[in-house]
Amino acid sequence: MKIGFVGLGRMGRGMAHRLLGGGHDLIVYDVVPGAAESLVAAGARAAASVEEVCQRRDVVVTMLVEDATVLDVVQRPHGMRDALPRGAVHLAMGTYGVDAVLTLMRVHEAAGQHLVAAPVLGRPDLAAQGQLGIVAAGRPQDVERCEPLLRLIGRRIFRAGDTPTLSTAIKLANNHLLGCALVAMAEGFSLAHKCGVPPQLLYDLFTTSGFDAPAYKGYGKTMVEEGYDTIGSPITVGLKDALLIRAAAEYAAVPMPSHNVYHDRLLGAVAHGDGARDQAVLAREQNRVAGIDRAPGATS
Amino acid sequence: MRVGVIGVRHASDALVTRLLQGGHSVAVYTGTRDSGNATTAPGGARQADTLADVCRGADVVLSHLHDDAMLLEVAQGANGVIASITGDTIHVALGLHRAKTIAQLGAAHAARDLRFVAAPVLLAAAVDVGETVVAAGPQAAVDALAPFFQALGLRVFPAGEKPEAASILALVHAGLVACAVEAMAEAFALVRKYGVDLHVMHDVITDGLFAGSDVYRRYGASLIDGAPGDGIDVTAARALQILDLVMAAADDAKVPLPSVDACRDRLLGAMAHGGGEYRWTVLNREQARASGLD
């Protein structure tokens, strides 16, 4: 297939390499100069513009961080709306919000193009290995066309249905669950700490008693060790996604009190200068409100 | 071993039966008899008439109570456990109690060279390890109890020498479970509004970040299909009592717990709509109601 790929960041680059490995005709684009280097070395072509990356393509993948960016890439003059062939598919794999996806649906339909929303689950190391989870939604014939690409990128594809916003909702809800797990653990660790119970003991208990899962084991370990400068997922990205979840909840009129707690703790982390640290630093924010003031790495 | 069980009529029957099956000699005390209503312990267990009687000659005395006031009375009241046991007995509190209560009892036993172990049972555990007690108290006592618990089919998580640590750990664990359930209820309400099939959502949840978590898998399934299970079958009223204990510990330690509180409020709402005696996963229905669903 003739594929275009826009967005060669931490996730996108690994995903694009996986597509190249499938023997497809791949052209890539990123605003950052040099982002395409490793892909070009491996046999991809580099485009100089969004228009160029869309030429004669069957499918163009976008893997962008911000809604505003993907909307601009699509709607700008000579952007995807103008340059993607009629009948081609925009395979939108970034974590975009409901509002953005609805706009993309409308814009692509008017242009005779097709949208498949296929946000991914997993981090950059899984992206490079083709081990992501993918939640795909769109017209069945469009999702099927994308299937060979999704199989290169992911370990497992979840079919969410015919409307792109279905996978958007699932992806945002899953991120909400992670955020809630983080603040729940943070609250637990702070209570244990104040009662003289070692955090490691609490960690050992819950990771062997019903919470033997990456979310709790990985982020929980970071909280116990206070290793907040090893970034898996930074606070700023968490906040970006939290705002998308809030917007999705507002649009659907769903009160989400636990999510609000997560959102507020994210704001607190930013307010205290922890915005660039890993999301596990929410434990530090919870400690602040509980009157436990420790610098990272403190052992007292 | 000779085991004395201090429990609540009928609620302690399963425990007594397990002890008898384990070959122990069991005496049971469940409070004063109602007039004309004979209280009989499960077959094979001796019905004790007083606390002193149930403690007499016991190797282990198990307090299997839900209520802190009752536990304190039983332990510290006139002719209670502390007055009745010897240094050879181990007094074990199996229920979930306030950390303060457990600390007080720990000190009261230690002051008289008596052995006290807090061994609350976790609200939910992993299916492959089974029902779990978190046990804390004098090291030798906890060590001595380990084979006793294991023979009863209970997994033991040792938690050091301070009995109240077991209480805190079990309560924090319950808080984590509650937070996960509330978070899932909110997630389900959100995606339902977008037309998502909850079974697809459950598949996604249990595949990646939460893969391997029996809490997310079983409680998630229960929220969708009403499937029963350990910890899930607790009533909303009882779950509220448990979260009240968590919040009491938080009050004592001056730790805000907004996520636990969010779950607690949902439970209150569920009870306000008549769900007190339902499984506590009825809070899912409450979240749906709050979202204009159903």
Side-chain angles (χ1 to χ4, degrees):
Chain A
M1 288 206 285
K2 295 186 171 51
I3 313 170
F5 201 110
V6 179
L8 305 173
R10 279 154 35 99
M11 296 289 289
R13 190 170 314 144
M15 291 160 67
H17 270 286
R18 292 292 307 171
L19 294 178
L20 204 50
H24 296 285
D25 170 345
L26 179 67
I27 183 166
V28 300
Y29 175 71
D30 195 292
V31 288
V32 173
E37 220 174 281
S38 62
L39 285 155
V40 168
R45 284 178 294 133
S49 64
V50 171
E51 183 174 26
E52 197 186 336
V53 85
C54 292
Q55 296 297 302
R56 292 176 297 282
R57 300 292 99 186
D58 300 309
V59 176
V60 172
V61 179
T62 60
M63 192 62 195
L64 299 162
V65 176
E66 300 281 348
D67 280 10
T69 315
V70 72
L71 289 170
D72 175 56
V73 161
V74 170
Q75 295 182 286
R76 68 163 80 144
H78 310 295
M80 279 180 78
R81 173 180 48 197
D82 293 341
L84 192 66
R86 285 187 78 83
V89 173
H90 172 186
L91 180 54
M93 301 192 77
T95 299
Y96 307 132
V98 170
D99 205 59
V101 172
L102 287 171
T103 300
L104 293 176
M105 284 166 64
R106 196 172 30 84
V107 167
H108 286 302
E109 187 177 354
Q113 298 150 350
H114 305 293
L115 178 71
V116 171
V120 302
L121 309 157
R123 309 219 292 209
D125 56 337
L126 293 179
Q129 293 156 27
Q131 292 295 299
L132 296 172
I134 305 173
V135 187
R139 291 191 325 162
Q141 56 267 55
D142 299 327
V143 175
E144 256 144 55
R145 245 168 105 192
C146 293
E147 184 123 354
L149 310 182
L150 299 179
R151 296 240 161 264
L152 285 167
I153 290 172
R155 169 187 48 85
R156 190 168 168 192
I157 304 162
F158 301 90
R159 301 282 205 117
D162 290 3
T163 313
T165 45
L166 288 164
S167 57
T168 305
I170 290 175
K171 167 67 184 179
L172 293 177
N174 205 57
N175 278 20
H176 146 83
L177 287 177
L178 174 63
C180 291
L182 294 175
V183 289
M185 273 192 288
E187 289 176 26
F189 280 126
S190 66
L191 181 55
H193 176 96
K194 271 202 142 179
C195 295
V197 175
Q200 182 69 46
L201 196 56
L202 174 58
Y203 175 89
D204 290 340
L205 176 64
F206 66 71
T207 55
T208 57
S209 307
F211 294 97
D212 185 8
Y216 285 82
K217 285 160 70 172
Y219 288 99
K221 183 160 186 277
T222 307
M223 289 181 185
V224 170
E225 295 172 353
E226 297 180 283
Y228 305 126
D229 292 318
T230 305
I231 311 296
S233 168
I235 288 282
T236 44
V237 171
L239 190 52
K240 181 218 49 135
D241 286 344
L243 292 174
L244 294 180
I245 295 162
R246 256 188 118 88
E250 277 203 19
Y251 188 83
V254 177
M256 297 181 75
S258 297
H259 186 260
N260 291 341
V261 173
Y262 169 56
H263 176 249
D264 283 349
R265 286 287 176 257
L266 287 166
L267 289 181
V270 170
H272 289 106
D274 282 335
R277 298 199 150 99
D278 186 79
Q279 286 206 69
V281 81
L282 291 178
R284 217 175 145 209
E285 190 54 28
Q286 169 67 25
N287 281 350
R288 283 189 185 99
V289 304
I292 306 164
D293 280 314
R294 293 153 63 101
T299 50
S300 65
Chain B
M1 289 215 272
R2 285 161 300 177
V3 181
V5 176
I6 300 166
V8 174
R9 194 185 318 157
H10 302 314
S12 301
D13 283 0
L15 171 65
V16 172
T17 304
R18 258 201 270 190
L19 288 164
L20 290 168
Q21 283 165 353
H24 300 292
S25 156
V26 184
V28 183
Y29 175 78
T30 53
T32 54
R33 297 170 199 247
D34 291 329
S35 56
N37 191 5
T39 312
T40 39
R46 178 175 70 80
Q47 187 71 32
D49 287 327
T50 62
L51 287 169
D53 186 14
V54 79
C55 292
R56 189 168 303 122
D59 299 301
V60 175
V61 170
L62 299 174
S63 287
H64 188 233
L65 302 166
H66 277 335
D67 187 278
D68 276 37
M70 211 181 288
L71 178 64
L72 287 168
E73 176 60 27
V74 152
Q76 297 189 285
N79 303 312
V81 176
I82 288 176
S84 306
I85 61 174
T86 69
D88 293 327
T89 318
I90 305 175
H91 179 200
V92 182
L94 281 178
L96 258 180
H97 296 283
R98 277 182 85 141
K100 235 192 212 178
T101 302
I102 296 298
Q104 184 182 327
L105 288 176
H109 283 71
R112 292 162 184 76
D113 287 324
L114 299 171
R115 298 187 288 167
F116 176 67
V117 170
V121 179
L122 288 183
L123 177 62
V127 168
D128 63 340
V129 299
E131 219 175 1
T132 299
V133 293
V134 181
Q139 189 65 50
V142 173
D143 288 346
L145 285 169
F148 170 70
F149 283 135
Q150 279 151 11
L152 287 177
L154 294 168
R155 166 198 173 225
V156 181
F157 184 91
E161 302 230 76
K162 292 198 281 186
E164 60 273 23
S167 182
I168 291 293
L169 285 165
L171 289 174
V172 169
H173 182 271
L176 288 175
V177 177
C179 290
V181 173
E182 171 63 22
M184 276 193 284
E186 291 174 26
F188 289 154
L190 180 67
V191 300
R192 275 181 66 189
K193 282 268 183 117
Y194 286 92
V196 170
D197 177 341
L198 289 185
H199 293 96
V200 176
M201 186 72 220
H202 187 255
D203 283 346
V204 170
I205 291 170
T206 54
D207 180 76
L209 282 171
F210 300 101
S213 166
D214 277 348
V215 168
Y216 282 81
R217 183 176 55 85
R218 292 189 309 120
Y219 279 83
S222 186
L223 291 182
I224 298 168
D225 295 328
D230 287 341
I232 296 172
D233 292 334
V234 165
T235 64
R238 175 64 188 142
L240 184 65
Q241 280 182 331
I242 293 171
L243 292 189
D244 280 344
L245 291 175
V246 182
M247 299 310 289
D251 281 352
D252 290 340
K254 303 278 184 297
V255 177
L257 298 182
S259 302
V260 177
D261 221 7
C263 179
R264 188 180 171 278
D265 279 349
R266 260 313 156 239
L267 279 172
L268 276 181
M271 291 175 69
H273 287 100
E277 292 312 301
Y278 287 83
R279 275 196 206 110
W280 69 292
T281 41
V282 73
L283 66 78
N284 187 45
R285 202 186 296 173
E286 194 53 32
Q287 168 67 37
R289 194 201 314 270
S291 310
L293 288 160
D294 298 339

